[in-house]
Amino acid sequence: MTLSEEDYIKAIYHLGKGMEQAVSTNSIAEQMDTKPSSVTDMLKKLSEKDLVFYKKYKGVLLTETGRLSALSIIRKHRLWEVFLVDKLDFAWDEVHEVAEQLEHIKSEKLIDKLDAYLGNPKVDPHGDPIPSKDGEFKKSVKRLVTELPIGSQGICVGVNDSSVAFLKFLDKNNISLGDTLEILDKEDFDGSLSIRIKGKEMRISEQIGSNLFLEVLEKD
Amino acid sequence: MTLSEEDYIKAIYHLGKGMEQAVSTNSIAEQMDTKPSSVTDMLKKLSEKDLVFYKKYKGVLLTETGRLSALSIIRKHRLWEVFLVDKLDFAWDEVHEVAEQLEHIKSEKLIDKLDAYLGNPKVDPHGDPIPSKDGEFKKSVKRLVTELPIGSQGICVGVNDSSVAFLKFLDKNNISLGDTLEILDKEDFDGSLSIRIKGKEMRISEQIGSNLFLEVLEKD
DNA sequence: ACAAATATTTAGTTTTGTCTAAAAATTTAT
DNA sequence: ATAAATTTTTAGACAAAACTAAATATTTGT
Ligand SMILES: [Mn+2]
Ligand SMILES: [Mn+2]
Ligand SMILES: [Mn+2]
Ligand SMILES: [Mn+2]
């Protein structure tokens, strides 16, 4: 597969949420910042290669081969993102563009070794799951800290309350988006939570917990 | 610069030993495993972009811009090779193909951070020098261990005597091509040498030393 | 049901990088 | 110095991936 074909397959995967829904020509064009006519040309080629089912005017669906190809590219993308953040000290919001290039490097051995070197991570720096070599992965969902059971672990991806006061609180307590957060305990009395973040344990009120979103892997 | 242009510039650099000699169309074609007519086409384009001086039938020379571009690509290639060997545990003779792809990733920040992460290495796993960001580097040369002064450090890149006996000796003493070797001391009496290899100190006879080639950086 | 709006495809170009076959320049050998 | 051998360039094509403009299909609103 060429670099361009890989990017199309990945876009179709994301737009169709795997193989759930057919994806329209225009949505692909928008996602990839190109023209619908270019998309049509490419869909014919991908169909020729049996990576997608394509019916004129009816949108496109990945084949099983296409789905596995997409997952392989997504696996590479997310492993490289982990490398950039964990080893090279990139910020979580700086890695996408570089990973967009690195995901196309062809070498199975490289990805196997990179995976091992990173400690076989299950999620990328944005909390998104990393598919295994054979395309298995758990879905991830966005949840408020207070909605999660003790023992949950996830990545801070957003706030409910974006007031200055709340953002200042987070800043003061050294909590940033992209941080890994683990729920250690919950206090029945006042709903406060004991958490570990950046290796440090701390206690937060229910009010804080109900305004902070975590990206977590779904159970089974 | 496109991936293909970068590969041509690098080939011209290597064939012309920097900017020393003009490089022929056919030699480039051979090096890049392509046809002379394709090379001619590309030379016109590179000349248009002022990366090379090109005179029909007279070969091609890098411009200063071309030379700096070549060094930048070589820097990336060699830094990635160090990464693959030092961090991902590739063997020194397995890294070239992958580095050939990785060298084209575009991100100055990535290379700066990779360089720092690797500890600003001065040579790659083959003993070849890694140019600095601004294109400075020492030349490297191949020397017999016995020809080098105390304190020299280099990478084992070849043998003079390729007899089974000698190769078995190296194997038995756990000396492999690609290993870093440092000369700690020389004994006047019998010419034997004290060396450090893979962190371990050992003593070798003059006969051994005069049959093992090291790639070392030239003094100044 | 039909016209208008929207989505998609087709037709015809362009750019990049490659190729083969033929022509032209240069080098080598007599 | 000239013919033969070699190197290099030109001419003409092709495949990949993009684009614009025009044609066609589908969907929406009345
Ligand atoms: Mn990409
Ligand atoms: Mn990600
Ligand atoms: Mn390359
Ligand atoms: Mn090397």
Side-chain angles (χ1 to χ4, degrees):
Chain A
M1 267 212 268
T2 65
L3 185 149
S4 196
E5 287 169 354
E6 290 188 343
D7 280 340
Y8 272 97
I9 287 292
K10 198 173 52 138
I12 294 167
Y13 181 93
H14 282 131
L15 291 168
K17 302 174 180 182
M19 291 175 54
E20 275 177 43
Q21 348 165 348
V23 178
S24 74
T25 301
N26 272 17
S27 65
I28 299 171
E30 193 180 342
Q31 166 92 6
M32 307 212 26
D33 202 25
T34 184
K35 302 292 165 182
S37 54
S38 307
V39 175
T40 301
D41 288 345
M42 183 57 92
L43 293 184
K44 285 177 185 164
K45 192 176 13 155
L46 294 176
S47 176
E48 202 56 48
K49 294 194 176 184
D50 288 317
L51 291 162
V52 301
F53 297 116
Y54 170 57
K55 260 282 170 51
K56 266 193 195 184
Y57 293 101
K58 297 298 176 189
V60 77
L61 258 181
L62 291 178
T63 62
E64 183 56 18
T65 316
R67 192 184 72 93
L68 289 173
S69 306
L71 287 172
S72 159
I73 302 157
I74 290 168
R75 170 173 163 78
K76 289 174 212 151
H77 184 103
R78 293 184 179 162
L79 283 171
W80 281 115
E81 284 188 342
V82 173
F83 169 71
L84 295 172
V85 169
D86 284 11
K87 303 294 184 181
L88 295 197
D89 223 46
F90 273 74
W92 77 316
D93 55 354
E94 294 176 324
V95 296
H96 194 78
E97 196 195 339
V98 182
E100 201 57 47
Q101 299 178 59
L102 286 164
E103 70 190 355
H104 303 290
I105 303 290
K106 261 93 185 160
S107 167
E108 201 178 329
K109 187 167 202 168
L110 172 63
I111 290 303
D112 290 349
K113 284 180 173 279
L114 182 65
D115 187 27
Y117 180 56
L118 299 172
N120 310 110
K122 296 290 166 278
V123 295
D124 82 358
H126 310 103
D128 295 314
I130 298 176
S132 72
K133 233 181 138 170
D134 46 312
E136 313 275 351
F137 66 99
K138 290 186 182 166
K139 279 201 193 128
S140 77
V141 284
K142 199 171 145 184
R143 292 271 179 275
L144 288 172
V145 171
T146 42
E147 292 169 356
L148 293 164
I150 291 171
S152 302
Q153 189 174 321
I155 290 181
C156 303
V157 291
V159 292
N160 210 0
D161 170 357
S162 58
S163 68
V164 174
F166 184 52
L167 297 177
K168 275 211 168 150
F169 169 87
L170 293 178
D171 201 43
K172 191 172 150 196
N173 286 275
N174 209 19
I175 297 175
S176 324
L177 296 189
D179 290 350
T180 297
L181 187 155
E182 185 180 350
I183 301 174
L184 300 173
D185 200 11
K186 286 174 151 186
E187 190 57 64
D188 279 341
F189 176 63
D190 60 355
S192 71
L193 300 133
S194 152
I195 63 171
R196 177 158 44 226
I197 189 160
K198 290 214 190 86
K200 217 180 65 184
E201 291 187 22
M202 63 183 287
R203 178 161 286 277
I204 59 175
S205 68
E206 177 167 32
Q207 221 204 321
I208 303 296
S210 64
N211 280 300
L212 188 58
F213 279 112
L214 239 52
E215 185 93 17
V216 294
L217 292 185
E218 269 181 354
K219 297 282 154 205
D220 278 64
Chain B
M1 266 213 265
T2 65
L3 185 150
S4 195
E5 287 171 353
E6 289 188 345
D7 280 341
Y8 272 97
I9 287 292
K10 198 173 55 138
I12 294 166
Y13 181 93
H14 283 131
L15 291 167
K17 302 177 180 177
M19 291 175 54
E20 273 177 43
Q21 348 166 347
V23 178
S24 75
T25 301
N26 272 17
S27 65
I28 298 170
E30 193 179 344
Q31 167 93 4
M32 307 214 24
D33 201 26
T34 185
K35 302 291 165 182
S37 53
S38 306
V39 174
T40 301
D41 288 345
M42 183 56 91
L43 294 184
K44 284 177 184 164
K45 194 182 2 160
L46 295 176
S47 177
E48 203 56 48
K49 294 194 176 185
D50 288 317
L51 290 162
V52 300
F53 297 116
Y54 171 56
K55 259 285 172 46
K56 266 192 192 183
Y57 293 101
K58 297 299 177 189
V60 76
L61 258 181
L62 292 177
T63 61
E64 183 57 17
T65 315
R67 191 183 73 94
L68 290 173
S69 306
L71 288 172
S72 159
I73 302 156
I74 290 167
R75 169 173 164 80
K76 290 175 211 151
H77 184 104
R78 293 182 180 164
L79 282 171
W80 281 116
E81 283 188 343
V82 174
F83 170 70
L84 294 172
V85 169
D86 284 11
K87 303 294 183 180
L88 296 196
D89 223 45
F90 273 74
W92 77 316
D93 55 354
E94 294 176 324
V95 296
H96 194 78
E97 197 194 338
V98 182
E100 202 56 48
Q101 299 178 57
L102 286 164
E103 71 190 354
H104 302 290
I105 302 291
K106 261 95 185 159
S107 166
E108 201 178 330
K109 187 166 202 168
L110 172 63
I111 290 303
D112 289 348
K113 282 180 174 281
L114 182 65
D115 186 29
Y117 180 56
L118 299 171
N120 311 108
K122 296 290 167 281
V123 296
D124 82 0
H126 310 103
D128 295 314
I130 298 175
S132 72
K133 232 181 138 169
D134 48 309
E136 312 275 351
F137 67 100
K138 289 185 179 167
K139 279 203 192 127
S140 77
V141 285
K142 199 170 147 187
R143 292 271 179 274
L144 288 171
V145 171
T146 43
E147 292 171 356
L148 292 163
I150 292 171
S152 302
Q153 187 174 321
I155 291 180
C156 303
V157 291
V159 293
N160 209 0
D161 170 357
S162 56
S163 68
V164 174
F166 185 51
L167 296 177
K168 277 211 168 147
F169 168 87
L170 293 179
D171 201 41
K172 191 171 149 195
N173 286 277
N174 209 18
I175 296 174
S176 323
L177 297 190
D179 291 350
T180 298
L181 188 155
E182 185 181 350
I183 300 174
L184 300 172
D185 201 11
K186 287 176 149 183
E187 189 58 62
D188 278 342
F189 176 62
D190 61 355
S192 71
L193 299 132
S194 152
I195 63 171
R196 178 159 42 227
I197 190 161
K198 289 212 190 88
K200 216 181 65 184
E201 290 188 21
M202 63 183 286
R203 177 160 288 276
I204 59 175
S205 67
E206 176 166 32
Q207 222 204 319
I208 303 295
S210 64
N211 280 300
L212 188 58
F213 279 111
L214 241 51
E215 186 91 18
V216 294
L217 292 185
E218 268 181 354
K219 300 282 156 205
D220 276 65

